[in-house]
Amino acid sequence: MLRRFLMAAIIAGAAGFGVYWWLTAPPMMSAIAEPAYAPNLANGQTTFSAGGCSSCHAVPAQPDRLKLGGGLALPSPFGTFYVPNISPDPADGIGRWTEAEFVNAVTRGISPAGFHYFPAFPYTSYQHAKVDDVRDLFAYLKTLEPVPGKVRDHDVPFPFNIRRNLGIWKLMFMDGKPFTPDAARSAQWNRGAYLVNSLGHCAECHTPRNLLGGIIAAQRFAGGPNPEGEGWVPNITQKGLEEWSAKDIEYFLETGLLPDGDSAGGAMARVIKNTSQLSAEDRVAMAEYLKSLPPVEGPPRPKKAKKDDDKS
């Protein structure tokens, strides 16, 4: 009887492990489905700015946003991630990557070596990008200056450092669907929706997350705790931007200046350096889309500690 029980347990364990291994296997893209074409470098540059690539991948503490040697630390509840080198350096960057490997990394979060990238890389939004935009981005990155230097490993504790488990996470929080235009809306609105929801990955910071780090869909764009651990990211639905006009949003994306005269700080200041490089038409489109978002109540914001007026 005991022998049968042990055998059944072994078989059940092996079957369970087999299912786990199958569910967590990184899906590979063997080749680009689209036919060969001449890359549009101007569109690649637009995609670079819309995607905020330099916000994370530029070498910290230097002014050149095109030196993409990485190294920026991104703290999170799951550990600290260090942004990789995506310059064309053949040893430390993406100089030896193929176009298919790049598309697979950006839209599926899979490395050329076949492991899952951590979702600190916002592929949950980039999955909705057009393949041609990603291909143009790859071509544009290849024109930039190679920056040597290998970035240190992530500082992520067990069990979050088990990349294989991200296969399950992706099944839960990725749908793999491309952006679909709304036929009832204008071309300008759809362009804004595309930029905000895919390349711009605005929801990655402006949406609260659950205990597993997944975006809470019902509170999309409703703000919440800063993923980097300090401060509060504002609500950008009409709950938070009701008093902003579309012109205010457009101007903010260009200059970083708020309607009250204050200016963007922290990570948003880095974002503005990118959105300011977009065409005026793209900023207008993003503003139109954001202004159309219905009001959504965000998570309760913790009360700020009262200042101790007795301190001198």
Side-chain angles (χ1 to χ4, degrees):
M1 187 70 179
L2 180 58
R3 180 179 295 180
R4 288 182 180 178
F5 175 79
L6 290 175
M7 183 60 68
I10 291 172
I11 292 173
F17 181 78
V19 171
Y20 163 81
W21 200 252
W22 174 67
L23 288 174
T24 58
M28 296 304 295
M29 179 183 289
S30 58
I32 299 296
E34 303 293 327
Y37 80 122
N40 183 335
L41 292 179
N43 184 53
Q45 186 174 13
T46 295
T47 303
F48 176 81
S49 294
C53 303
S54 69
S55 293
C56 289
H57 292 278
V59 177
Q62 56 83 37
D64 190 345
R65 65 191 289 270
L66 301 182
K67 288 189 175 180
L68 305 178
L72 179 70
L74 296 176
S76 81
F78 305 99
T80 300
F81 301 95
Y82 293 88
V83 182
N85 184 331
I86 61 166
S87 79
D89 187 85
D92 301 322
I94 63 171
R96 294 178 182 171
W97 287 30
T98 67
E99 186 184 72
E101 288 171 340
F102 184 77
V103 173
N104 203 36
V106 171
T107 62
R108 297 187 179 189
I110 306 296
S111 80
F115 59 78
H116 295 290
Y117 283 124
F118 290 108
F121 178 22
Y123 50 75
T124 46
S125 290
Y126 293 159
Q127 65 174 327
H128 305 303
K130 299 173 184 176
V131 171
D132 281 356
D133 282 348
V134 181
R135 297 174 80 185
D136 289 342
L137 172 61
F138 181 65
Y140 174 72
L141 291 175
K142 299 281 262 186
T143 70
L144 302 181
E145 177 187 348
V147 180
K150 183 71 74 175
V151 175
R152 58 161 292 176
D153 291 338
H154 301 305
D155 185 11
V156 180
F158 179 84
F160 307 119
N161 62 342
I162 302 176
R163 290 178 184 264
R164 191 90 189 185
N165 290 337
L166 289 168
I168 302 292
W169 190 93
K170 288 179 178 180
L171 289 173
M172 297 173 65
F173 301 114
M174 291 183 69
D175 59 24
K177 296 178 181 178
F179 172 77
T180 302
D182 184 343
R185 297 281 192 166
S186 68
Q188 180 172 275
W189 184 95
N190 276 295
R191 174 63 175 173
Y194 172 69
L195 291 173
V196 168
N197 288 291
S198 62
L199 298 175
H201 60 278
C202 303
E204 301 292 333
C205 286
H206 287 278
T207 306
R209 294 176 180 269
N210 58 31
L211 292 177
L212 295 178
I215 282 177
I216 300 174
Q219 292 182 307
R220 190 171 179 84
F221 300 122
N226 186 340
E228 296 184 8
E230 293 184 6
W232 195 265
V233 180
N235 188 322
I236 57 172
T237 72
Q238 282 305 285
K239 181 70 177 180
L241 297 182
E242 182 181 7
E243 297 182 2
W244 290 48
S245 68
K247 282 284 187 182
D248 289 334
I249 298 172
E250 175 194 347
Y251 189 66
F252 175 72
L253 294 174
E254 180 183 8
T255 66
L257 293 177
L258 283 71
D260 63 4
D262 201 356
S263 59
M268 194 63 204
R270 300 198 302 266
V271 172
I272 296 298
K273 289 181 180 179
N274 295 298
T275 55
S276 66
Q277 300 300 310
L278 295 175
S279 68
E281 292 77 11
D282 277 346
R283 289 193 295 270
V284 168
M286 293 174 71
E288 179 179 336
Y289 173 73
L290 289 171
K291 191 62 185 170
S292 76
L293 294 175
V296 177
E297 190 71 48
R301 187 167 182 170
K303 295 180 180 179
K304 293 182 179 179
K306 294 182 179 180
K307 292 183 179 179
D308 187 352
D309 294 332
D310 294 331
K311 285 186 177 181
S312 57

